[in-house]
Amino acid sequence: MKKLIAFFVVPFLFLGCKEEPKKEENNDAIKSEAQAFLDEYTKTYVKLYYDSSLAEWDANTHIVAGDTTNAHNVQKANEAFAKFTGSTEVIEKTRKFLEDKDKLDITQVRQLNTILYSAANNPETVSDLVSKRITAENAQNEMLFGYDFKVDGKSVSTGDIDEVLRTSNDEKVRLKNWESSKAVGQPLKNGLENLRNLRNETVGALGYDDYFSYQVSDYGMTRQEMLDEMNKMVKEVWPLYRELHTWARYELAKKYNAKEVPEYLPAHWLPNRWGQDWSALVNVEGLDIDAALKDKQPEWIVKEGEKFYVSIGFEPLPTSFYEKSSMYPLPADADFKKNNHASAWHMDLENDLRCLMSVEPTAEYYETIHHELGHIYYYQAYTNPNVPPLLRGGANRGFHEAIGSLLGLAAMQKPFLAEKGLVDANVKIDETQNLLKEALNYVVFLPFSAGVMTEFENSLYAENLPKDQFNKKWWELAKKYQGMVPPTDRGEEFNDAASKTHINNDAAQYYDYAISYILLFQIHDHISKNILKQDPHATNYYGSKEVGTFLKDVLKTGANNDWRELLKESVGSGMSAKPMLDYFQPLMAYLKEQNKGRTYTLPENL
């Protein structure tokens, strides 16, 4: 994922700005006045953004129990950022300039709209609320990332838990680890309710109905439009998901020697803490990437990712990237913790680029490094004179994730892996099993992201879901969209949704990932068929300067465009799930054959 630093800072007022342009002034004068404002705002914004990034980086990479230094620094930096971006003067001046938007350049208008969007998260008129929200967010993050997960009284990492869920055949061991992974949600429950209230009240000061609606507005969409779009996505993949769900129920019942095939999937049977990725259920013979990587060093994995981007025409990463990033697991005897969730950071909106993760020599991390470097190279591409710092972001938030996921997909296809020497180019693989493995990743993810996560956060923020219904709602949605149920009773003493980091600190925008999967298949389909002239299921981007040129053209404008127009210009159509459905269509006949005579428990239509 790309690291999204929340817009909660504000520096100093623009006391030196000229009076607002009078209506009779010519367009050049109005543009000049607006540009002077934008230049002055940007200078302070970038400084405070960097201060906030540095404080957040320390808070994520060096967590010491009981040490409040990082929390103090984050609070201070984020309050300064919030005070500046949400200042009444900034809001008033921005609105005044936008009254004359027809006389301004489109790039100026986009920057002004960005300023107003940022201000809505930190309005000076409710500065006490903003300060309380920042304090609450810091406390929630410290609790989440500093949590001591334990199994049988022994401290374990989330990586340890993930490994058990991916590989263990011992159902009792799996259950213990799954329950441990959810324990972090309990102490986060009160904080989540408090954050919901503070976030809603903060954006309400500038006219937004709720925080979910505020986040959605970044796409130029209403809350209902986004919910309708997500519902449409799930409905489109539902026939295939229903087949996958039926297949998984029977296969896992066999694996765990269950007396009966359960109607719904017990959560601890699945190889992921949230049931969002089932790809570990299938091993494709001849494509054992874990075996090929097991003797490699984590540093090698990262360098291989960089080599791929350089091969298609991107520049090598700056030395500072390796010096400043935190990419490897901490030593066992480390006296501090770190956030292990993979993320890419554009620290200063210029050239300070970093990754945070804990790379190990596995297929999952091989894919992840290509994904995270996709964000890094996106940052690099739009850090150019044609994109003002205020517009150095993805065409939309989903675009950023799409590029990362696109390169993650490309890096796991057989011709690419053969080029890298990780599989034998001559080995025959079961193409159906390979497609099944991919579907258990990409297709399975959509009901979780577009369904469970999106609906839960809509209920949380837009419908003010009561705290005593958090867990009930979470598992209702998991059953409806994923066909997944908890292995034991999960009453309201639990708060299983909050075990997902995004619920706490990347709030009300998980639909970004659903959108990214739709976009990635659109872009991959275009690259495969129109540039490489290859089967979308078996591509090799490596060394293709044409692919690099195409990607640079998509990336280089950042947010200085209309994302709908950019998509249409790039791939020839608006947002559509058709390329994704076409990609997995060959799997349907196989799954229907496998499921012949089996009982389906998910409805035909959602």
Side-chain angles (χ1 to χ4, degrees), residues 227-237 575-577:
L227 291 174
D228 290 345
E229 190 66 46
M230 294 301 102
N231 188 251
K232 177 172 171 278
M233 282 185 192
V234 178
K235 283 184 174 179
E236 286 179 328
V237 302
M575 191 162 66
S576 168

Side-chain angles (χ1 to χ4, degrees), residues 9-15 17 36-52 77 79-87 90 115 347-349 389-390:
V9 191
V10 185
F12 320 103
L13 300 181
F14 300 105
L15 301 177
C17 283
F37 168 74
L38 288 168
D39 290 345
E40 190 170 355
Y41 177 93
T42 298
K43 182 179 178 182
T44 307
Y45 177 90
V46 170
K47 178 191 180 299
L48 293 174
Y49 185 96
Y50 198 21
D51 289 345
S52 175
E79 283 184 347
F81 186 56
K83 184 179 178 184
F84 172 71
T85 57
S87 82
V90 164
I115 290 172
M347 299 289 292
D348 59 351
L349 301 176
L390 296 179

